[in-house]
Amino acid sequence: MAVFVALGAFLMTLAGGWTAQRVTDRRHLVLGLAGGLMLGVVGLDLLPEALRAAGREVFGVPAALLLFVAGFLLAHLVERTLALRQAAHGADEHGHRAPEVGLTAAGAMVGHSAMDGVAIGAAFQVGGGMGAAVALAVIAHDFADGFNTFTITSLYGNARRRAIAMLVADACAPVLGALSTIFFTIPEALLGGYLGLFGGVLLYLAAAEILPEAHHEHPARSTLLCTVAGAAFIWLVVGISS
């Protein structure tokens, strides 16, 4: 049952990526929406779950929040390092954006989707009702995951085939994650720490890269509305599934 439900997440992820491809003539709106979706996923989905799962504090601060800050700084460090290396070799073709950053971020999205599949499998081990609730949340926000995976990979100057390859990997990840729960389970505290770290990476990409790019050439009210709509959509998904 868990694997069957994960196939729904597979289809929703592909649908999100397909949508991102089809609206290239409104790139600023795509980026504005992607930024809002990522902000909503981090603030309304990942962080609350990370705080609940990770539990313990380190020197007065929840471990999940420490890892959240570490993820943000890590993303900044990786991007600066790759951008400096690219500039040193005279590569300016992508506007100082290192394609490796896009691939790394998309890889993190794939890892997150695999954890979604693990969550589905673990929830069905608890009971059918719990499994259905988790499945609803995962399937609904996997549309946003597919949308963001394709957008992030493309934004950093990667070829379309690479973006599609990362999208397909992101779509397959929940199915593989659900299958893995047949053999083992991930400790809840470890999962919470991972979600905190991943949330910091996503917030950096949204705040420092995607949203500034969305408003750079098109500082339109419609772009801002797309950002708000993306965050509101995730709020709606979280509210329905809770």
Side-chain angles (χ1 to χ4, degrees):
M1 184 62 182
V3 175
F4 178 76
V5 170
L7 289 173
F10 170 86
L11 295 175
M12 285 297 287
T13 302
L14 291 181
W18 180 85
T19 301
Q21 294 180 63
R22 301 300 295 179
V23 290
T24 52
D25 57 330
R26 294 288 184 268
R27 185 170 178 269
H28 59 292
L29 299 181
V30 171
L31 293 175
L33 180 62
L37 289 171
M38 292 171 71
L39 176 61
V41 167
V42 172
L44 306 177
D45 189 13
L46 292 183
L47 268 185
E49 180 63 23
L51 288 169
R52 184 194 66 79
R56 70 188 187 92
E57 294 186 352
V58 178
F59 205 62
V61 178
L65 289 184
L66 286 176
L67 287 167
F68 173 78
V69 173
F72 189 97
L73 294 175
L74 178 64
H76 178 60
L77 176 64
V78 168
E79 186 194 34
R80 289 296 88 203
T81 300
L82 291 175
L84 288 173
R85 182 182 302 171
Q86 186 183 34
H89 287 81
D92 190 45
E93 57 188 334
H94 300 307
H96 298 294
R97 294 187 185 277
E100 295 89 346
V101 174
L103 292 176
T104 301
M109 296 291 290
V110 173
H112 172 60
S113 293
M115 291 301 102
D116 282 346
V118 171
I120 292 175
F124 272 102
Q125 290 178 4
V126 174
M130 175 66 72
V134 172
L136 174 63
V138 169
I139 290 175
H141 91 250
D142 271 355
F143 179 88
D145 284 352
F147 190 99
N148 289 336
T149 298
F150 185 88
T151 302
I152 290 171
T153 309
S154 301
L155 177 63
Y156 280 85
N158 288 285
R160 185 172 179 271
R161 59 182 176 80
R162 284 189 175 182
I164 292 176
M166 295 307 297
L167 173 63
V168 172
D170 191 43
C172 293
V175 180
L176 297 177
L179 280 171
S180 73
T181 59
I182 299 174
F183 308 104
F184 67 91
T185 57
I186 296 179
E188 189 175 35
L190 182 61
L191 180 60
Y194 166 77
L195 292 177
L197 184 72
F198 178 57
V201 172
L202 275 191
L203 184 63
Y204 177 83
L205 293 174
E209 296 296 332
I210 290 182
L211 289 178
E213 181 73 13
H215 291 276
H216 177 60
E217 295 182 359
H218 297 274
R221 188 175 302 173
S222 56
T223 307
L224 178 59
L225 290 176
C226 282
T227 303
V228 173
F233 172 74
I234 299 299
W235 185 17
L236 177 64
V237 170
V238 171
I240 290 174
S241 60
S242 62

